[in-house]
Amino acid sequence: MAIRPTRIWRSAPYPFYATFDAPAPSTTCTRRARSRTPLQVKLLGEQKPYTTVADLSPENYEKFLKARFLMRQRNEEALADAVALTREVLEANPDFPVAMTQLAEALSQSVYGEAETLPELQRLANRALALEPNLAAAHMINGQIAQRNRQPLESIRHLERAIELDPSEPRPHHWLGIILANSGYLDRAREELETAVELEPDHANANGYLGF
């Protein structure tokens, strides 16, 4: 008798978030809650000391991905909905570092520059790094905050770390290019901005800064 697989992985990215590599319970794969038997622990490794995407309930998983999709719409109404959804996910999963950085990113896109938001962004990024020190998005957020606080060296340090951890993400390259340009390092700034455009050809901000 043929043995059927219990999990079918998708052959295309989840439509809500093209760059986030996670299984979709309602589209191209089926998901089962992990029972964490001794064999699973041996094969999969010890469970992380914080919440991961695989630990989310189906309801929170859908909220999490919908929020990521809404963030890519880049309008205030969608960002407000993304903030609300991510807060709901964090309320149910308070030790979920990826949701912390997602919330910080959504807040920074919607109200970036307002001083009253910076303490929450800092708290979310630092809490995420305390749980997962190698989370590139948290370093990127800290880099943005340092730039807002006129601390270019601190900003560069965080952004370079974010790039080291995830060189395929265009946003740290974009932010680093801006800071380097403002600091007078025009050749290096152009390299970073060109990298951002190579990774995301329709990145309007990076394309605009390449005209400096």
Side-chain angles (χ1 to χ4, degrees):
M1 182 177 68
I3 299 176
R4 298 182 63 187
T6 59
R7 187 186 296 240
I8 304 172
W9 295 99
R10 75 201 186 300
S11 58
Y14 186 66
F16 270 174
Y17 190 66
T19 61
F20 185 70
D21 189 21
S26 60
T27 55
T28 51
C29 74
T30 58
R31 300 175 79 241
R32 295 191 310 170
R34 297 191 208 177
S35 60
R36 284 294 174 184
T37 64
L39 179 59
Q40 285 177 312
V41 171
K42 181 177 180 180
L43 293 176
L44 301 176
E46 293 296 330
Q47 191 167 12
K48 296 285 187 182
Y50 51 79
T51 302
T52 66
V53 172
D55 300 318
L56 297 179
S57 68
E59 179 184 5
N60 283 314
Y61 181 83
E62 288 296 329
K63 289 180 180 179
F64 174 72
L65 286 186
K66 185 176 181 180
R68 295 184 86 95
F69 170 75
L70 289 169
M71 287 172 61
R72 296 175 72 85
Q73 306 310 300
R74 300 184 186 279
N75 65 71
E76 286 299 322
E77 183 178 356
L79 287 170
D81 289 341
V83 167
L85 286 169
T86 308
R87 287 196 190 280
E88 290 178 16
V89 174
L90 267 177
E91 184 176 352
N93 305 272
D95 291 330
F96 186 16
V98 176
M100 295 172 196
T101 59
Q102 177 167 298
L103 177 57
E105 289 181 55
L107 287 169
S108 70
Q109 288 180 33
S110 59
V111 290
Y112 183 73
E114 296 184 15
E116 60 268 24
T117 67
L118 294 182
E120 183 174 12
L121 301 185
Q122 189 80 74
R123 178 181 61 79
L124 288 165
N126 288 344
R127 174 62 176 153
L129 286 173
L131 292 167
E132 174 49 273
N134 293 322
L135 190 57
H139 285 285
M140 182 187 72
I141 292 162
N142 274 339
Q144 291 174 275
I145 293 170
Q147 187 219 23
R148 176 68 176 78
N149 290 331
R150 298 183 180 180
Q151 299 173 313
L153 294 180
E154 183 73 2
S155 181
I156 290 171
R157 182 178 70 83
H158 280 293
L159 292 170
E160 287 182 336
R161 179 59 175 154
I163 291 169
E164 179 184 358
L165 291 167
D166 186 3
S168 65
E169 170 58 54
R171 290 171 299 171
H173 293 283
H174 167 230
W175 282 104
L176 182 57
I178 292 173
I179 295 167
L180 291 170
N182 291 338
S183 301
Y185 299 100
L186 299 185
D187 290 340
R188 172 83 190 284
R190 181 173 293 278
E191 290 177 6
E192 295 296 338
L193 291 168
E194 288 176 346
T195 299
V197 172
E198 287 174 6
L199 293 170
E200 189 178 335
D202 60 348
H203 197 305
N205 290 336
N207 274 304
Y209 268 96
L210 277 173
F212 69 81

